Amino acid sequence: MKNERLIFLTNDDGYRSRGIAALIEVARQFGRVVVLAPEEPQSGMSQAFTMSRPLFLRKVREEEGLEVYAFTGTPVDCVKMAFDHLLCDRKVDLVISGINHGSNSAVNVLYSGTMGAAIEGSFYGCPSIGISVDDHSPDADFEGAMRYGEQIIRTILERNLPTPLCLNVNLPAIPADQLKGIRVCRQTAGYWRERFIRHEDPRGREYFWLTGEYVNSEPEAEDTDEWAMKQGYVAVVPVQVDMTDHRRLAELTEAFE
């Protein structure tokens, strides 16, 4: 159809992931779907893109209303390849990244390959959504993400909200019928404290595994994504890329005069 919507999907878990399969099922209700996702998992890549090696693109599936491509780059590489090459002569109506295994709430938005791709999509003047479920298990339940993802997608497409627009959507790991609804909120203030666990290989060489824990700096605040998820809500945070600390501008201007 000439006026059929075009929905672009990507992720950081790879084109074979269960999350993107679930997202395809939802997105196909709204128009033609093109998927261009990493060949292999690319979690934690944030806004990284590739300049030091060649990248390879291959079509892995095609049927009525759906094309799926695997790409050897990062999630951001996938978005760039889609907008600057594969779909450069077509209007994309919506970018969706996910459904991710694991939450991207709070400061995780800065590290996330899922959100890196969604943010990159917004750079092209296209409304973008990143969807994540707070469950790292291979058999994570995506029913709630599909149900509320459909509602969020429909709202964004029907409201025709001004761009740039990027939403960070996170769901707690609870059954869909226990979710209380959508809560529009802000990013929680917090940080990660990492630890490097030292080991030795059979030849006595030391190596390290990274682990750590997230520290919520405002556990009592009731307007944040972490609070919303703990209360059983779908947390929706509008994301912007302006990292200027506007509160400090006047203070620093005076300090350097």
Side-chain angles (χ1 to χ4, degrees), residues 37-82:
E39 188 82 52
E40 302 294 340
Q42 296 275 347
S43 295
M45 295 302 289
S46 186
Q47 298 293 140
F49 59 93
T50 305
M51 295 188 295
S52 58
R53 59 180 173 82
L55 299 173
F56 298 90
L57 178 70
R58 65 187 183 94
K59 182 181 288 187
V60 296
R61 180 180 170 192
E62 182 173 14
E63 58 191 64
E64 182 64 32
L66 175 67
E67 299 171 49
V68 180
Y69 296 84
F71 195 44
T72 57
T74 68
V76 165
D77 286 329
C78 290
V79 177
K80 290 180 181 294
M81 170 58 73

Side-chain angles (χ1 to χ4, degrees), residues 10-55:
T10 190
N11 69 359
D12 71 355
D13 290 320
Y15 78 96
R16 292 180 290 246
S17 74
R18 288 181 57 248
I20 209 162
L23 193 55
I24 290 170
E25 186 176 334
V26 174
R28 293 186 80 171
Q29 302 175 54
F30 296 94
R32 183 170 184 79
V33 174
V34 174
V35 180
L36 200 161
E39 188 82 52
E40 302 294 340
Q42 296 275 347
S43 295
M45 295 302 289
S46 186
Q47 298 293 140
F49 59 93
T50 305
M51 295 188 295
S52 58
R53 59 180 173 82
L55 299 173

Side-chain angles (χ1 to χ4, degrees), residues 107-127:
V107 73
N108 294 310
V109 68
L110 295 177
Y111 303 115
S112 165
T114 299
M115 286 308 300
I119 292 168
E120 187 71 20
S122 73
F123 291 165
Y124 288 88
C126 187

Side-chain angles (χ1 to χ4, degrees), residues 114-157:
T114 299
M115 286 308 300
I119 292 168
E120 187 71 20
S122 73
F123 291 165
Y124 288 88
C126 187
S128 302
I129 306 169
I131 304 177
S132 307
V133 175
D134 191 18
D135 188 343
H136 289 274
S137 62
D139 60 346
D141 181 2
F142 294 123
E143 182 182 349
M146 294 174 70
R147 181 182 303 179
Y148 282 93
E150 178 182 345
Q151 180 180 341
I152 292 166
I153 292 167
R154 189 179 308 280
T155 298
I156 296 305
L157 290 174

Side-chain angles (χ1 to χ4, degrees), residues 201-220:
D201 71 9
R203 296 184 178 182
R205 298 174 299 185
E206 67 177 4
Y207 65 94
F208 298 88
W209 281 106
L210 175 64
T211 185
E213 60 182 19
Y214 173 72
V215 180
N216 187 340
S217 299
E218 45 180 356
E220 304 305 320

